[in-house]
Amino acid sequence: MGNSSSAKNRHTSGDETAPTLVAGRHDSTSMPVDDGNMYDPCVYKRARASTITPGAKSAQTTYSHGPRLLPTVFKWEGGGKDVYICGSFNNWKSKIPLVKSQGDFYTIVDLPEGEHEYKFYIDGNWVKDPSEPTKSNQLGTENNIVRVRNTDFEVFEALAIDSRNTHSSKKHESNEGGSPPGDYSQVIPVKQTGGKHTGPPFLPPQLLQIILNKDTPAHVEPSLLPEPNHVMLNHLYALSIKDGVMVLSATHRFRKKYVTTLLYKPI
Amino acid sequence: MAEKSNQPQVKIGHYILGETLGAGTFGKVKIAKHQLTGHKVAVKILNRQKLKSLDVVGKIKREIQNLKLFRHPHIIKLYQVMSTPTDIFMVMEFVAGGELFDYIVKHGRLKEVEARRFFQQIISGINYCHKHMVVHRDLKPENLLLDSFGSVKIADFGLSNMMHDGEFLRTSCGSPNYAAPEVISGKLYAGPEVDIWSCGVILYALLCGTLPFDDEHVPTLFRKIKSGIFAIPDYLSKEVVSFLCHMLQVDPLKRATISSIIEHEWFKKDLPAYLFPSPNDQDASIVDVDVVREVCDKFSVSEDDVHRAILSGDPHDQLAIAYNLIIDNQRMADETSKIDFHEFYLASSPPPESFLTASSPHRPAHPERMGEMKDINQTLDPVPSVGPGKTQPVPKKAKWHLGIRSQSKPQDIMHEVFRAMKSLNYEWKIINTYHVRARKRNSITNRFTKMSLQLYQVDQKSFLLDFKSLTHDAENNFNNEIDGHLTQSKSDDRMEIDGDSEGQCHQTLEFFEMCANLITALAH
């Protein structure tokens, strides 16, 4: 399932457009469960995010037939005593009661994908929620509408859409390893002179617990180094240049082990 | 559906939502019942609009990602996450005993025996998080829940973060009373050490009923934390005082680590074996036949369906969820009975010696044997406990240094770095004044070798330029990075790791080459 790639296409707000992704999604829902992409390395590699959220196959599609139903929350915060909801999804035939929950009323209705009209019925009156989108029909009455999209039900997709909408304003923690925005270039920045500028951060002491400097007791295998701290991994350590030879080392994680590599380089 | 009733049912997935247990910043937490199995769960409802407006979408995503794969008797489990157009529903383990905080408030300070039992469970859970590269960062009695058996469950991973190889964390977060000195002073930290500090504060709170560092005036509180001086009541045993002091060390390097904690005499007393299982025991690949049948009965499906569901690894799968719920409940009941059993027999006998052979007085007779090698590995740690051969003088070795040092002004150093990189035709991306990413294209493979350059201050005058190799992975977006780490922690995801580490192998030498050239260019 090209989760990651299709997510990229849907770059815009995600709140209005019915994404093209939907078609593809249906395909993936109809896939048999046991035919997971686990065994195909290529697919598996691309769809990494989806291995954690094997998405579209929800319980409804797996164990029952018919269109996939997606839970949709309806909430009424305008007060009242008896609150119901009614909509195009049940042909305006029956009124579904909302449950009171600390100041508001709510219910969850499983709806098929698409646009649905609905209206609240509060203490005998038909009311629309002014804070939700509305639409007027041929009869001239105005109803609330809700758009139910498959993408809203994939937790990580939904969160990805949400974060895309807010992300640009704020940068995330720079030490988290993701590639920062911007392009590579060869522009040397102008040196800041004068004014106050904060200095570089203090060296974290953990980086100086150099495993190669630690003594190995005489009775153990000398090539066995003490276990490194995860923060010292991937950093460059060096010996002072002596007799025209530069010696460099770095420790990397390899599966459940750590491997330290040394390079003796004449200069 | 339209019929009138006083209490209409609201369902999310297969759970019938019940009363509100509490309300947080992002929404309510409700109790819910599985419509078929009747298992109680807690459902945390997060309003997507609120998450967006508070700019915590990424944090919540992390919490979900971290928790989803976690499976530990003392960590609140996240069974399932469902999203709707307006809200996200997190279906989590429900425990009935309330917060450890209320327990302390109600019972006052605890006896050492009781505090130890809680503390052992907390450390076991935290050890599990750290092994999976997650730092909790907000440990406090309010986030430790109790189940009906009086066991601790670590909850609220909202501020947790992933640890990445070679990288530090900086964000100051959590509650000040439980925060380590380096966290409140905005220094870089590795991760586990800040949770250990919080654990030290928690243990103190359990034993004394008060906090070691407390003040209404926040700057004064910070001063107290940074001083690391706290009152030691007379009623504490000598053993536990040394234990507390070790965890509440201001210097993160001198602070206790998980491995030193689990070897401490006070901690080891009456330690249930299940809390620190040997690596081989952790495999939960054996399917419980009885539970499978129970699921079959309840869902009227075939055993094959259930097996397929369990093997699919699909966290949304109803059958798999039901299976895991029953297993978890059984396991907890088992563990509790095991503890009782254990405590019954050990009531008046010395603590078991089976745990951690390294600390047992019997040294292995044949260190060259493979079986024994593991054991030796443990004594290789910085603090060599038993080492009669230690006195032998080791021939003087050449000393390794991190990166390269300079006494020039920081801006001048960076300027030189840029000029050197330009002369070598490297490309770079500026992260901040003292932190850049550099890359060089390998003309044969056409791939980029990437590294990160960070300038650090060592003391008043000297600075240090640190070189760090970046794997191909690190250049992908943040989400992939997290997924990568989590999948690596699952041993069955081998294919992915193979691909990655192969790439890494090639890179090490290219990274050295890149560093060597830059160092040489800087020297001119």
Side-chain angles (χ1 to χ4, degrees):
Chain A
M1 316 183 258
N3 252 1
S4 45
S5 56
S6 45
K8 263 178 219 152
N9 301 337
R10 209 182 342 89
H11 192 269
T12 42
S13 73
D15 264 310
E16 291 140 60
T17 44
T20 48
L21 166 78
V22 171
R25 214 128 272 283
H26 270 301
D27 289 343
S28 58
T29 20
S30 56
M31 249 169 60
V33 192
D34 51 344
D35 181 26
N37 34 30
M38 293 292 191
Y39 307 106
D40 182 344
C42 320
V43 177
Y44 179 59
K45 180 130 193 164
R46 268 198 311 124
R48 254 167 119 171
S50 67
T51 56
I52 288 189
T53 50
K57 304 164 266 173
S58 95
Q60 285 93 337
T61 46
T62 316
Y63 302 110
S64 67
H65 302 283
R68 187 184 174 201
L69 296 175
L70 308 161
T72 308
V73 182
F74 292 97
K75 209 189 230 170
W76 174 256
E77 287 171 314
K81 222 175 129 234
D82 289 315
V83 183
Y84 296 88
I85 190 171
C86 194
S88 54
F89 42 83
N90 58 11
N91 290 319
W92 304 95
K93 279 200 179 113
S94 53
K95 294 194 270 295
I96 301 165
L98 265 64
V99 177
K100 196 175 166 78
S101 157
Q102 292 194 342
D104 54 39
F105 293 84
Y106 82 111
T107 194
I108 298 167
V109 185
D110 291 336
L111 299 179
E113 191 178 24
E115 193 178 284
H116 303 277
E117 291 185 36
Y118 66 97
K119 207 157 192 175
F120 294 98
Y121 186 74
I122 293 148
D123 301 331
N125 298 309
W126 288 102
V127 187
K128 66 177 164 59
D129 184 345
S131 60
E132 294 293 324
T134 58
K135 189 185 182 182
S136 43
N137 59 14
Q138 310 99 303
L139 302 167
T141 48
E142 250 192 300
N143 294 322
N144 283 119
I145 51 159
V146 61
R147 276 198 194 92
V148 176
R149 283 177 305 240
N150 269 312
T151 47
D152 277 322
F153 302 91
E154 294 308 315
V155 175
F156 289 101
E157 258 182 57
L159 284 172
I161 295 169
D162 288 353
S163 64
R164 212 166 295 138
N165 290 347
T166 48
H167 213 76
S168 48
S169 58
K170 207 171 169 182
K171 52 180 185 199
H172 57 73
E173 287 176 66
S174 62
N175 45 27
E176 271 170 354
S179 187
D183 291 316
Y184 282 93
S185 74
Q186 291 188 318
V187 182
I188 297 177
V190 186
K191 256 199 277 181
Q192 297 168 318
T193 43
K196 56 166 182 139
H197 33 243
T198 47
F202 276 98
L203 178 69
Q206 287 90 343
L207 285 180
L208 296 178
Q209 295 180 301
I210 304 166
I211 51 172
L212 284 167
N213 284 345
K214 294 209 169 115
D215 291 332
T216 25
H219 63 280
V220 292
E221 173 64 46
S223 67
L224 211 60
L225 294 168
E227 194 178 327
N229 193 326
H230 82 273
V231 286
M232 63 178 67
L233 299 178
N234 306 343
H235 288 267
L236 180 81
Y237 291 92
L239 290 178
S240 309
I241 298 172
K242 209 178 143 192
D243 305 326
V245 178
M246 183 187 271
V247 190
L248 304 176
S249 87
T251 305
H252 299 289
R253 194 189 288 270
F254 178 77
R255 293 188 187 174
K256 286 179 175 170
K257 293 180 181 176
Y258 302 98
V259 180
T260 301
T261 316
L262 270 66
L263 175 73
Y264 287 77
K265 187 180 163 68
I267 48 166
Chain B
M1 275 281 237
E3 65 192 20
K4 273 202 171 183
S5 68
N6 286 341
Q7 211 38 54
Q9 277 186 352
V10 181
K11 281 196 302 187
I12 177 77
H14 289 247
Y15 298 96
I16 301 162
L17 291 169
E19 276 168 42
T20 305
L21 295 169
T25 330
F26 314 117
K28 291 167 185 161
V29 179
K30 286 179 185 286
I31 191 165
K33 232 164 132 180
H34 194 278
Q35 60 177 2
L36 294 169
T37 62
H39 282 294
K40 281 183 183 169
V41 291
V43 178
K44 196 168 167 181
I45 306 167
L46 307 169
N47 185 280
R48 284 173 66 185
Q49 202 52 50
K50 275 187 193 149
L51 298 184
K52 264 204 252 184
S53 61
L54 291 161
D55 201 13
V56 288
V57 178
K59 263 184 191 156
I60 295 299
K61 199 166 145 194
R62 274 202 298 269
E63 180 181 356
I64 293 172
Q65 281 167 326
N66 291 348
L67 269 179
K68 249 190 157 173
L69 297 179
F70 274 23
R71 207 153 273 268
H72 187 275
H74 299 293
I75 298 173
I76 288 285
K77 276 178 204 67
L78 174 61
Y79 295 124
Q80 196 186 0
V81 187
M82 286 174 270
S83 176
T84 71
T86 48
D87 300 87
I88 284 169
F89 291 76
M90 292 171 72
V91 181
M92 315 213 282
E93 186 177 2
F94 171 74
V95 289
E99 292 173 4
L100 185 60
F101 179 83
D102 296 324
Y103 187 88
I104 305 172
V105 170
K106 195 173 153 201
H107 294 81
R109 65 186 170 91
L110 311 183
K111 291 208 175 74
E112 284 193 17
V113 182
E114 199 183 9
R116 171 162 40 223
R117 198 180 74 88
F118 284 142
F119 193 71
Q120 287 167 338
Q121 298 177 350
I122 298 166
I123 292 295
S124 165
I126 290 303
N127 181 39
Y128 181 89
C129 296
H130 292 176
K131 284 236 164 88
H132 290 84
M133 300 297 276
V134 169
V135 213
H136 188 287
R137 304 204 292 188
D138 193 20
L139 290 170
K140 53 183 174 182
E142 292 89 326
N143 285 340
L144 301 169
L145 306 179
L146 295 174
D147 68 6
S148 45
F149 305 110
S151 287
V152 175
K153 302 269 180 175
I154 301 168
D156 206 339
F157 281 72
L159 292 173
S160 66
N161 209 338
M162 293 295 299
M163 296 182 267
H164 298 281
D165 285 346
E167 297 190 21
F168 288 88
L169 298 165
R170 190 175 208 164
T171 322
S172 158
C173 56
S175 319
N177 288 100
Y178 297 88
E182 64 273 20
V183 173
I184 56 167
S185 25
K187 287 188 189 149
L188 297 169
Y189 54 88
E193 73 276 24
V194 309
D195 279 349
I196 301 289
W197 175 280
S198 307
C199 285
V201 178
I202 291 166
L203 181 60
Y204 186 96
L206 289 171
L207 292 166
C208 308
T210 56
L211 291 167
F213 312 102
D214 204 7
D215 205 292
E216 295 211 340
H217 185 237
V218 177
T220 313
L221 171 63
F222 281 8
R223 229 180 359 259
K224 285 182 179 174
I225 293 171
K226 285 182 208 168
S227 77
I229 298 164
F230 56 95
I232 296 166
D234 296 336
Y235 49 76
L236 292 181
S237 74
K238 238 187 190 170
E239 249 184 340
V240 81
V241 170
S242 80
F243 191 45
L244 278 170
C245 291
H246 197 196
M247 284 186 283
L248 296 175
Q249 272 288 337
V250 175
D251 181 348
L253 296 187
K254 290 191 187 132
R255 198 172 302 154
T257 60
I258 295 267
S259 48
S260 73
I261 286 174
I262 57 186
E263 279 179 54
H264 195 280
E265 286 306 318
W266 187 87
F267 185 86
K268 274 202 295 193
K269 201 161 178 238
D270 306 331
L271 182 71
Y274 81 92
L275 287 180
F276 297 93
S278 70
N280 311 332
D281 293 351
Q282 281 168 333
D283 186 20
S285 61
I286 300 158
V287 175
D288 189 316
V289 186
D290 291 337
V291 177
V292 169
R293 282 202 200 104
E294 199 180 331
V295 177
C296 290
D297 282 353
K298 287 194 163 124
F299 286 82
S300 28
V301 290
S302 75
E303 288 193 21
D304 278 352
D305 284 339
V306 182
H307 282 292
R308 210 175 298 138
I310 299 165
L311 291 175
S312 76
D314 179 353
H316 288 272
D317 193 294
Q318 281 311 307
L319 300 181
I321 291 164
Y323 174 84
N324 285 325
L325 274 164
I326 299 168
I327 288 280
D328 284 342
N329 285 311
Q330 275 189 357
R331 195 187 297 154
M332 266 329 290
D334 278 1
E335 263 151 18
T336 323
S337 61
K338 237 189 279 170
I339 298 164
D340 292 345
F341 182 80
H342 189 100
E343 278 170 0
F344 177 78
Y345 280 102
L346 283 172
S348 57
S349 50
E353 291 202 4
S354 56
F355 178 69
L356 276 193
T357 40
S359 57
S360 91
H362 311 290
R363 296 285 303 152
H366 300 286
E368 67 273 18
R369 271 173 48 200
M370 277 317 283
E372 251 55 281
M373 286 302 282
K374 253 162 68 188
D375 198 59
I376 276 170
N377 202 355
Q378 282 185 340
T379 63
L380 262 177
D381 278 354
V383 209
S385 44
V386 248
K390 204 48 215 64
T391 43
Q392 279 183 348
V394 184
K396 189 140 172 86
K397 288 192 294 188
K399 213 171 159 210
W400 290 88
H401 305 279
L402 173 73
I404 50 172
R405 289 178 191 236
S406 166
Q407 299 213 340
S408 310
K409 280 196 194 130
Q411 294 96 323
D412 297 338
I413 300 173
M414 290 313 287
H415 191 72
E416 288 307 313
V417 170
F418 286 121
R419 280 183 38 184
M421 287 199 295
K422 185 146 196 182
S423 73
L424 294 164
N425 199 25
Y426 294 176
E427 291 175 297
W428 58 84
K429 203 190 255 192
I430 294 165
I431 293 158
N432 61 46
T433 324
Y434 304 110
H435 188 193
V436 293
R437 272 172 189 239
R439 69 175 186 187
K440 167 130 182 96
R441 187 192 291 274
N442 180 320
S443 52
I444 299 158
T445 60
N446 226 8
R447 289 210 303 197
F448 285 106
T449 309
K450 289 169 185 146
M451 66 173 179
S452 146
L453 297 167
Q454 165 82 57
L455 190 67
Y456 287 114
Q457 179 149 18
V458 182
D459 51 47
Q460 283 298 317
K461 275 191 206 149
S462 57
F463 297 91
L464 186 150
L465 184 67
D466 170 51
F467 303 72
K468 192 180 75 195
S469 155
L470 295 174
T471 56
H472 292 295
D473 233 28
E475 199 54 14
N476 290 337
N477 70 35
F478 175 50
N479 311 333
N480 280 349
E481 177 105 331
I482 277 196
D483 296 343
H485 278 276
L486 281 179
T487 42
Q488 279 188 22
S489 61
K490 284 177 76 185
S491 54
D492 50 359
D493 289 330
R494 274 287 148 72
M495 286 181 293
E496 190 67 288
I497 301 167
D498 275 355
D500 279 356
S501 38
E502 200 189 344
Q504 221 170 52
C505 269
H506 286 298
Q507 269 196 332
T508 307
L509 289 178
E510 284 176 277
F511 166 63
F512 283 157
E513 198 63 34
M514 224 177 143
C515 294
N517 291 338
L518 186 58
I519 292 169
T520 317
L522 282 170
H524 286 297

